Amino acid sequence: MMNPFDDTDATFRVLVNERGQHSLWPDSADLPRGWVVVFGPDDHAACLRYVDASWYDITPRRLDDGARAAS
């Protein structure tokens, strides 16, 4: 049985968490807690293009960045 994350012929979504991290997620899998869909469902290549075009800085945001900026 193939791992659904490795099946490049499957349909995927792009997810983002509160730290701005992106993930390709199989459309057939339940969404993990704390992640939201920002693109898809679409094919694997289209999802990768979305990530390449929209995720410029792979450094995760700190969860307290908003509080620090407000002070």
Side-chain angles (χ1 to χ4, degrees):
M1 177 180 214
M2 179 178 265
N3 181 334
F5 291 88
D6 295 333
D7 184 3
T8 57
D9 293 325
T11 302
F12 286 82
R13 295 175 189 226
V14 178
L15 310 182
V16 174
N17 68 12
E18 61 188 2
R19 300 182 89 188
Q21 297 169 306
H22 289 55
S23 178
L24 263 63
W25 203 260
D27 190 42
S28 61
D30 292 336
L31 298 181
R33 173 184 264 157
W35 293 77
V36 295
V37 176
V38 293
F39 181 81
D42 211 329
D43 63 44
H44 189 266
C47 290
L48 283 178
R49 284 191 301 273
Y50 177 87
V51 170
D52 286 341
S54 62
W55 194 16
Y56 306 114
D57 182 2
I58 65 168
T59 306
R61 283 192 310 255
R62 289 179 41 150
L63 294 179
D64 64 351
D65 278 349
R68 199 166 16 114
S71 58

